[in-house]
Amino acid sequence: MVFKAAAVQMCSGVDPARNAVSMARLVREAAAQGATYVQTPEMTGMLQRDRAAAKAVLRGEADDIIVRTASELAAELGIHMHVGSTAIALDDGKMANRGFLFGPDGKVLNRYDKIHMFDVDLDNGESWRESAAYRPGSEARVVSLPFVEMGFTICYDVRFPALFRAQAVAGAEVMTVPAAFTRQTGEAHWEILLRARAIENGVFVIAAAQAGVHEDGRETFGHSMIIDPWGRVLTSAGGTGEAVILAEIDLAAVKAAHDKIPNLKNGREFSIEKIPGAVKGGVAA
């Protein structure tokens, strides 16, 4: 099976309606180039550091402009439309960092709430506490589409290889990693992590990213990528501004990678024991 996939790179601002217009323009561009699956980045609908300001404009899923626009685009263009994620208001006062996959009829085929929260302290005083505003998900998802078995993750999830391995063992042939990586972490780890997840599981990785300096002052790394099961970067975008990248996904490459290095079948259960080191004067050395 072969299909054409697109990753849409954005520089989302603080206004969901304006971001919806940008999303629609870029998705139409991707579809015009033959893409039948189109992925947008994490937080397609809004990047807003001010949590009070964010909550003031966010809506529940039924009233969200990104959800509505993506559904309409999928039906209009006859594509599988994947909103990498957007912030959705929840009843408990928190938000969900939620991805959506729409079928060619515009109906929701899958929802995925980001599992791993980005709670980190970086160099130069950069600090993030995603868990303070967002409720983490608890369910991994592999969706059977007519043309592929697809696994779902979001951004920081890429640092947790067990999530990818579980989905690969469940049959995922393509893993999706929409993201809004910071420039600092992206420069250090973005490509390495994506290629590692592709190689160790023998799957394609499609990663649409946010890119550039945003209205709220943050800077994201960009470099959206599509990577094959051997870890080769098939196509990538730059580090700033909007872009649409496309690649043919030939699922025969997944089987070929698994045949060459069948680590999914060769994995074994094991126990682990921590052995204390040499003891000097009653204290472990």
Side-chain angles (χ1 to χ4, degrees):
M1 179 68 72
V2 179
F3 67 97
K4 186 172 282 190
V8 167
Q9 184 162 290
M10 297 178 65
C11 186
S12 295
V14 300
D15 182 355
R18 193 162 66 241
N19 295 327
V21 171
S22 296
M23 176 185 73
R25 172 173 46 80
L26 293 164
V27 170
R28 287 194 176 96
E29 180 182 332
Q33 295 182 55
T36 56
Y37 162 84
V38 181
Q39 179 191 127
T40 69
E42 179 184 28
M43 288 296 150
T44 291
M46 180 174 57
L47 280 174
Q48 171 62 278
R49 283 176 183 260
D50 186 327
R51 290 174 182 157
K55 289 182 178 181
V57 299
L58 288 184
R59 300 290 180 266
E61 183 178 314
D63 300 312
D64 183 78
I65 190 170
I66 296 295
V67 173
R68 182 172 69 252
T69 301
S71 173
E72 292 170 353
L73 283 168
E76 172 195 335
L77 301 170
I79 62 172
H80 282 80
M81 169 73 193
H82 178 188
V83 174
S85 86
T86 196
I88 298 295
L90 301 176
D91 292 340
D92 62 2
K94 285 203 169 187
M95 299 176 280
N97 189 341
R98 180 170 296 169
F100 295 87
L101 179 66
F102 299 88
D105 59 0
K107 294 181 179 179
V108 176
L109 299 177
N110 182 53
R111 296 171 177 84
Y112 170 70
D113 287 359
K114 184 177 181 180
I115 291 173
H116 299 99
M117 298 287 95
F118 191 54
D119 290 356
V120 302
D121 297 301
L122 303 175
D123 294 338
N124 303 320
E126 192 173 353
S127 182
W128 301 92
R129 290 293 180 271
E130 195 171 23
S131 65
Y134 291 89
R135 187 175 72 193
S138 59
E139 294 183 357
R141 298 287 174 85
V142 175
V143 178
S144 296
L145 300 176
F147 52 94
V148 69
E149 298 288 318
M150 184 169 285
F152 291 78
T153 74
I154 296 172
C155 199
Y156 190 49
D157 285 336
V158 76
R159 295 183 182 274
F160 299 85
L163 173 60
F164 288 73
R165 176 50 55 96
Q167 293 183 67
V169 169
E173 300 164 298
V174 170
M175 298 296 304
T176 61
V177 193
F181 251 60
T182 69
R183 174 160 294 280
Q184 185 177 168
T185 57
E187 288 175 343
H189 300 146
W190 172 247
E191 181 176 338
I192 295 169
L193 288 168
L194 293 175
R195 294 179 70 189
R197 299 296 86 86
I199 293 166
E200 65 199 10
N201 296 299
V203 296
F204 285 91
V205 169
I206 303 174
Q210 295 281 356
V213 179
H214 301 262
E215 283 184 289
D216 71 346
R218 82 181 72 192
E219 187 174 7
T220 52
F221 184 63
H223 295 87
S224 300
M225 293 185 184
I226 301 177
I227 301 168
D228 80 1
W230 205 244
R232 291 174 290 229
V233 178
L234 299 179
T235 182
S236 63
T240 58
E242 297 176 344
V244 175
I245 59 172
L246 297 96
E248 283 197 345
I249 307 298
D250 185 349
L251 297 180
V254 176
K255 183 179 185 306
H258 291 170
D259 287 345
K260 290 173 185 174
I261 303 180
N263 62 335
L264 296 183
K265 292 193 297 185
N266 291 347
R268 292 174 54 81
E269 297 292 328
F270 57 88
S271 61
I272 186 166
E273 182 178 0
K274 186 174 181 180
I275 307 298
V279 176
K280 294 181 180 179
V283 179

